[in-house]
Every structure is written in structure tokens, then in C-alpha cells.
Amino acid sequence: MKKALVCGAGGFIGGHMVKRLKAEGYWVRGVDIKEHEFSTLPADDFVVGDLTDPRVVASVVDEGMDEIYQFAADMGGAGYIFTGEHDAAVMHNSALCNLNTVEEAARKKVGKIFYSSSACIYPETIQVDTDNPGLEEGFAYPAQPDSEYGWEKLFSERLYLAYQRNYGIAVRVARFHNIFGPEGTWCGGKEKAPAAMCRKVAETEDGGSIEMWGDGEQTRSFLYIDECIEGVRKLMESDFSDPVNIGSDEMISINDLAIMTADIAGKKISLNHIPGPLGVRGRNSENTLIKAKLNWAPSETLRSGMEKTYNWIADQVSRAVES
Ligand code: NAD
């Protein structure tokens, strides 16, 4: 039986990965600074601990473990990442999680380690148009991410690749592009655009209006969680060890995402554009490399993922109202 450690298992993607690995027959240990908010995880072992503490990391990484999935990070949507208020915490916390985990993994001769990087590593200078043709992996340098979150991700990509070169540990790195779905943060300030949109629409009466940061013309692509997990598993099973995009190439404006969400809810909703933190003007995944290396790329439509996500968030909203 293969043994895996999932770091950040109390979070959105980590929680889904625990379920997937258990379904595949793995023995799984999860670790996170908190329990999972929305789900009772089927992990064989779950440790509540802070990965910035090397003693905690030493206690959860076993000698010769087969795989580690490192998802732990200080993380949020534009309202968290782009205000500047959390920059030091984001860099300090996430970098220490990565420094400690990769060091312990190399020391204990872990078979393979996955690192979750982000589309936020790409230079802001190539994301100034809403009509973005897609961010190829090779566009990462010369580097100029638009946030400290992105700089930390880029540093940590290099950290894992350096450990691969110097200590021979097998590393897999994916650059996620806006992952969304059920059991992700949907309120409280760390939620990202699809979840925020679902919550606002669910909380608003038919005929009402919702607030949106900026003019709503900014574009993004969003990837449903099941396809993200599938991509990570395929990458782990492959022998490809350079960073690769895991994202959808179905780009949409935030205005159209709102219209889609309202349509799913069966409501007529108008948009009230207000100033707020925004990020880059246009961002899309470019999937030539993943198709070439994994013979696979995400294909589910945004609409289908948004329907499942809206239903889950609308249910959370009505439970919150009842309690
Ligand atoms: P999440 O916030 O739901 O999960 C991250 C988890 O890490 C949280 O449960 C948090 O408690 C945990 N964590 C933070 N600091 C910790 C510490 N010091 N010790 C132990 N646990 C700690 O975020 P997510 O959406 O599941 O993202 C998972 C990973 O994927 C992150 O590294 C994130 O940067 C990356 N990523 C996510 C997206 C996305 O759209 N969700 C996009 C690009 C990259």
C-alpha cells in the first residue's frame, strides 16, 4: 500500500486530494494548522500542526514515504493577496512551510514530492490586456509577478527544483490557474471570484444587484476541482519534472461569470461596479505543454463546474441563515 502525506489537508484542494488518494487505496496522513471546515476527511491519520515549525514537519514525514503533496500556504483571493496588508505573513508562512517540508522530504528519502505553484508567478507585463492568448510556461522569466504571493511561489518552485538537482528527490510542480468548487472558502475575505460570485448571487433576491470590484471586464479562466486533482495525479504518475500549467483555457470576463452565475440561480441580477483590489487585466492558461507531456488537458466546461459550485454554496448560505 502506498503511503502519502498531504500538507494543507484541512484546506480546499488538500481535502479533495485526501479523498482521492483514499479512493485509490493509499494510506494517507493529512496535516494542517486547522481541521477541515466542511468535511470529515477519510485520512488514516490527521495531525493538527504548524508546518513553519521544523519539529512538526519532522513528526509527520516518515522515513521512505512514497509521496508528499504540499498544498499548505497562506492563500486567498484578490481581497487577501492584493491589499498588501498580508504580504509579510504570506511570504514568511508559505516559504517556511516549503523550506521545512522539502528539506525533511530529502532527508527522509521520500519518493516524490508535489508542489502547488500558481499562475500568479507570471509577469504582470504580459497580462495587461483582457484578450490574453494564454500563459506559456516559458513566459515565467524574466520574472515580474504582480504580488508577493507570486514571488514566494516562484522562489519555492526554484527551491523544489534545486532540491531535485542537488539531492535527487523527484519533484513535480504545477501552476494552478484559479481552482474552484465545493468545499472551498466561500466567505470571510479569503474567497476567490467564483465562490464570491456564487455567495453574492445566493444572498440576493431575484431582481436585486450585487457589488463587483472594478469594471468587470478583467478576464480569467477557472478550473473545476475534480480536474485539478486529476491533473495532479497524472503529473505525479508521469516522469515530467518541470513546472506545468494546470488550468482551463476557457477564458471569461468577470461580468460574464456573474451573468452565468445568476442564470444558474434562475435570477435576474444587476451589477454595481465599485473600486476594489483587482490583480492583472487578463489571464488564461495555455495547455500545449500539459497535452504534450501528460496526453491530457482539462476539458469540463466552466458552466458545469459553476452549477455544482453554486448548488453547494447556496446550501451553505441557507444553512448560515437558519443557524
Ligand atoms: P486553502 O487556503 O484552502 O488551503 C491551504 C491550507 O494550508 C489551509 O487549510 C491552511 O490552514 C493551511 N496552512 C497554511 N499555513 C499553514 C501552516 N503554517 N501549517 C499547516 N497548514 C497551513 O487553499 P487551496 O485553495 O486549497 O490552495 C492549496 C494550494 O494551491 C496553495 O498552496 C495555493 O497557493 C495553491 N494554489 C491554489 C489556487 C486556487 O485557485 N485555489 C491557485 C493557485 C495555487
Side-chain angles (χ1 to χ4, degrees), residues 227-228 230-232 234 246 287 290-292 294-299:
E227 293 208 289
C228 168
E230 182 67 18
V232 173
K234 282 193 185 313
I246 294 190
N287 290 343
I290 193 168
K291 282 179 197 156
L294 304 187
N295 200 19
W296 175 89
S299 57

Side-chain angles (χ1 to χ4, degrees), residues 44-236:
D44 298 278
D45 186 23
F46 190 95
V47 176
V48 175
D50 186 344
L51 295 166
T52 64
D53 181 345
R55 290 164 303 182
V56 170
V57 179
S59 74
V60 294
V61 177
D62 293 344
E63 197 71 46
M65 257 179 158
D66 296 291
E67 294 171 3
I68 294 181
Y69 294 81
Q70 203 318 67
F71 298 110
D74 221 327
M75 161 68 181
Y80 188 75
I81 295 297
F82 295 117
T83 59
E85 286 165 32
H86 311 285
D87 287 351
V90 164
M91 297 185 91
H92 181 261
N93 184 16
S94 301
L96 278 182
C97 290
N98 288 312
L99 286 160
N100 291 338
T101 306
V102 73
E103 168 69 16
E104 196 63 24
R107 205 199 312 260
K108 300 249 179 81
K109 306 222 173 309
V110 168
K112 221 179 255 182
I113 186 161
F114 172 81
Y115 173 56
S116 48
S117 184
S118 166
C120 291
I121 64 101
Y122 287 109
E124 59 181 338
T125 46
I126 55 169
Q127 302 174 82
V128 292
D129 289 326
T130 55
D131 185 18
N132 192 314
L135 297 164
E136 285 174 34
E137 287 80 354
F139 295 171
Y141 298 98
Q144 198 181 338
D146 72 338
S147 64
E148 302 302 357
Y149 169 80
W151 278 107
E152 189 284 324
K153 288 285 180 199
L154 199 57
F155 161 76
S156 289
E157 280 191 5
R158 301 186 68 92
L159 173 74
Y160 284 88
L161 295 172
Y163 268 76
Q164 177 164 257
R165 278 197 308 278
N166 294 166
Y167 298 115
I169 181 168
V171 161
R172 302 289 179 268
V173 179
R175 295 176 181 155
F176 291 158
H177 290 243
N178 291 314
I179 316 303
F180 74 102
E183 301 186 356
T185 306
W186 60 275
C187 64
K190 282 188 155 190
E191 65 279 16
K192 303 182 85 181
M197 207 66 76
C198 290
R199 187 197 70 237
K200 289 177 188 181
V201 169
E203 286 173 343
T204 305
E205 300 283 303
D206 190 14
S209 87
I210 61 172
E211 288 188 338
M212 182 187 289
W213 291 334
D215 64 7
E217 297 296 326
Q218 66 271 28
T219 51
R220 294 290 185 278
S221 73
F222 301 96
L223 182 70
Y224 189 63
I225 181 67
D226 290 358
E227 293 208 289
C228 168
I229 297 290
E230 182 67 18
V232 173
R233 287 293 300 123
K234 282 193 185 313
L235 183 60
M236 280 299 262

Side-chain angles (χ1 to χ4, degrees), residues 21-58:
L21 294 173
K22 281 309 298 170
E24 286 190 38
Y26 277 69
W27 185 95
V28 181
R29 174 179 293 140
V31 57
D32 201 294
I33 205 158
K34 61 168 179 64
E35 299 276 355
H36 201 285
E37 233 176 298
F38 308 113
S39 200
T40 308
L41 295 179
D44 298 278
D45 186 23
F46 190 95
V47 176
V48 175
D50 186 344
L51 295 166
T52 64
D53 181 345
R55 290 164 303 182
V56 170
V57 179

Side-chain angles (χ1 to χ4, degrees), residues 243-290:
V244 61
N245 290 329
I246 294 190
S248 162
D249 55 8
E250 182 187 342
M251 195 168 66
I252 188 171
S253 74
I254 303 300
N255 282 333
D256 286 344
L257 181 70
I259 292 165
M260 178 189 284
T261 312
D263 188 55
I264 289 168
K267 296 180 183 179
K268 288 259 172 300
I269 298 235
S270 58
L271 304 176
N272 178 19
H273 296 282
I274 57 165
L278 289 175
V280 295
R281 193 70 178 147
R283 169 174 290 167
N284 197 9
S285 184
E286 210 288 334
N287 290 343
T288 305
L289 185 65
I290 193 168

